[in-house]
Amino acid sequence: MDLGNQTRFSGFILLGLSEEAELQPLLFGLFLSMYLVTFTGNLLIILAIATASHLHTPMYFFLSNLSFTDICFTSNVVPKMLMNIQLQNKVITYEDCLTQMYFFMLLGDVDNFLLTAMAYDRFVAICHPLHYTVIMNPKFCGLLLLVAWLLSILHTLAHGLLVLQLSFCTELELSHFFCDLKQIVQLACSNTFLIDLVTYFATGLLGVVPLFGIFLSYMKIVSSILKITTAGGKYKAFSTCGSHLSVVFLFYGTALGVYFSSDFIENSRATAIASVMYTVVTPMLNPFIYSLRNKDIKQALRKHFS
C-alpha cells in the first residue's frame, strides 16, 4: 500500500486553537455561542426577507443568499470543531478533511461573488436609478447567482482533484481547527508545483478581479453621490450601501490579512487564531450590520414576531 493510501485511512490530526486542557471548556462555550448567534441571526434575515413582500428586491435577494451561504460556511467548520473538543478526539479522516476543505473553499468563493453582485446592484441603483428595474430584473439576478455557484464549483473542483493526486508522509498534524488547503499542501511529500501554480492563479483571478469590480463600483457610486446637491440626498444615497461596504471591509480585510500574513508568520497556531475572524466572527456580525443599519429589515422582523 502506498503512502497516499495509508494517509487516506489514517486521516489528519486537527490540533485546534489550543492544546491546553483547561481552555477547552471555554473554547467550546465560546464557539457554541457564536455558532448559535450566527445560525439564528442569518436565519432571521432569510425569514424576514421571505415573508415581507416589500423586501423582494434584488438587493435583498442577494442578501438572503449571502445569509444562507454564511450559515452553511460556519456549519461546515464549527460543529466538527465542537465535536472534537467534546469527544477529545482531534482526528479527521482523509475523506472528511477533503470534503470540509472543498465546501469551505466553495462557500467562501460564493460569498466573494455575492458581495461583488451586491456592489453592482448598488452601482446600478445609485448611478442609473431610472434603468434599475430594467437592468436588475429577476432573470438577470438569477443568472448572476447561477454564475457565482458555477464558477465557485469549477474553481473548487479543480483544487480538489489536484489534492487527490498528492501523497502524504508520516507528518499529518494540521495546526488549525479546520482543513485548510494551504496547510494540507504543505504536508504533501509529492511535488506540489502544479497545485501551487493553480492556487496563485486562481487567487489572483477570483480574488483580485471581484475586489477590483467592487472598488470600481464604489468609485462610480461616490462620484454620483458627490454630484447630489442636498445633504439629505447624499446621506440617503450613501445609507443604502453603508451596510454592504461594512461587510466588504470586514470580509476582505480579515481574509486577505490572514492569507498574506501566513507567508510571514512562522507560528501556524497564530494564523489559525486569526482565521477565526473570517470563518466565524464575520458571518456572525453580518446580520447585526444589516439589521441595525436597515429600517426595512427591522420593520420586517418586528412584523414577523408580532
Side-chain angles (χ1 to χ4, degrees), residues 240-254:
T240 61
C241 53
S243 299
H244 174 258
L245 199 56
S246 301
V247 172
V248 166
F249 278 120
L250 195 60
F251 178 80
Y252 286 103
T254 54

Side-chain angles (χ1 to χ4, degrees), residues 76-121:
N76 180 52
V77 174
V78 179
K80 176 61 179 175
M81 178 190 180
L82 295 175
M83 188 174 70
N84 287 354
I85 295 174
Q86 186 68 18
L87 300 178
Q88 297 181 354
N89 178 18
K90 298 182 178 181
V91 176
I92 183 171
T93 64
Y94 179 85
E95 292 80 7
D96 287 347
C97 189
L98 259 63
T99 301
Q100 187 184 67
M101 181 204 76
Y102 177 85
F103 282 104
F104 180 84
M105 294 179 62
L106 172 66
L107 296 165
D109 283 348
V110 174
D111 259 5
N112 180 31
F113 287 121
L114 284 174
L115 289 173
T116 308
M118 293 170 78
Y120 180 73
D121 171 76

Side-chain angles (χ1 to χ4, degrees), residues 42-54:
N42 283 287
L43 185 61
L44 287 175
I45 293 289
I46 295 172
L47 289 174
I49 293 172
T51 56
S53 58
H54 68 283

Side-chain angles (χ1 to χ4, degrees), residues 161-174:
L161 292 174
L162 288 172
V163 171
L164 286 173
Q165 307 305 314
L166 300 177
S167 59
F168 298 89
C169 303
T170 55
E171 179 60 48
L172 301 175
E173 292 184 344
L174 294 170

Side-chain angles (χ1 to χ4, degrees), residues 35-300:
Y35 176 67
L36 292 176
V37 171
T38 302
F39 191 94
T40 305
N42 283 287
L43 185 61
L44 287 175
I45 293 289
I46 295 172
L47 289 174
I49 293 172
T51 56
S53 58
H54 68 283
L55 296 182
H56 294 172
T57 62
M59 181 176 71
Y60 293 110
F61 169 76
F62 291 122
L63 176 58
S64 62
N65 279 278
L66 182 68
S67 294
F68 171 75
T69 308
D70 282 343
I71 289 175
C72 297
F73 189 69
T74 51
S75 298
N76 180 52
V77 174
V78 179
K80 176 61 179 175
M81 178 190 180
L82 295 175
M83 188 174 70
N84 287 354
I85 295 174
Q86 186 68 18
L87 300 178
Q88 297 181 354
N89 178 18
K90 298 182 178 181
V91 176
I92 183 171
T93 64
Y94 179 85
E95 292 80 7
D96 287 347
C97 189
L98 259 63
T99 301
Q100 187 184 67
M101 181 204 76
Y102 177 85
F103 282 104
F104 180 84
M105 294 179 62
L106 172 66
L107 296 165
D109 283 348
V110 174
D111 259 5
N112 180 31
F113 287 121
L114 284 174
L115 289 173
T116 308
M118 293 170 78
Y120 180 73
D121 171 76
R122 292 299 84 206
F123 159 72
V124 176
I126 294 174
C127 300
H128 304 283
L130 298 179
H131 302 94
Y132 179 71
T133 54
V134 177
I135 297 173
M136 300 303 294
N137 60 76
K139 186 177 179 180
F140 181 66
C141 292
L143 181 63
L144 287 178
L145 182 64
L146 179 63
V147 169
W149 278 98
L150 286 177
L151 288 177
S152 301
I153 290 171
L154 291 174
H155 167 234
T156 312
L157 189 61
H159 278 92
L161 292 174
L162 288 172
V163 171
L164 286 173
Q165 307 305 314
L166 300 177
S167 59
F168 298 89
C169 303
T170 55
E171 179 60 48
L172 301 175
E173 292 184 344
L174 294 170
S175 300
H176 225 304
F177 59 95
F178 66 91
C179 290
D180 179 59
L181 172 67
K182 196 169 187 178
Q183 291 204 19
I184 292 174
V185 172
Q186 287 174 350
L187 294 180
C189 292
S190 53
N191 192 303
T192 61
F193 173 77
L194 182 58
I195 191 170
D196 287 336
L197 183 65
V198 171
T199 299
Y200 285 118
F201 176 76
T203 301
L205 188 63
L206 301 182
V208 175
V209 173
L211 190 58
F212 179 75
I214 293 173
F215 177 76
L216 191 62
S217 295
Y218 273 102
M219 286 287 291
K220 297 286 187 180
I221 288 171
V222 170
S223 177
S224 295
I225 291 176
L226 291 177
K227 293 177 183 178
I228 300 174
T229 54
T230 62
K234 290 181 180 179
Y235 175 79
K236 184 178 179 180
F238 183 75
S239 64
T240 61
C241 53
S243 299
H244 174 258
L245 199 56
S246 301
V247 172
V248 166
F249 278 120
L250 195 60
F251 178 80
Y252 286 103
T254 54
L256 292 176
V258 170
Y259 180 81
F260 288 114
S261 64
S262 62
D263 293 329
F264 304 100
I265 299 176
E266 296 182 1
N267 188 351
S268 299
R269 188 62 57 80
T271 303
I273 294 172
S275 299
V276 173
M277 283 299 297
Y278 69 88
T279 54
V280 184
V281 176
T282 300
M284 181 184 69
L285 293 179
N286 285 355
F288 292 100
I289 293 172
Y290 277 104
S291 61
L292 293 176
R293 295 174 60 92
N294 193 304
K295 293 180 180 179
D296 292 330
I297 292 289
K298 287 190 286 187
Q299 181 184 351

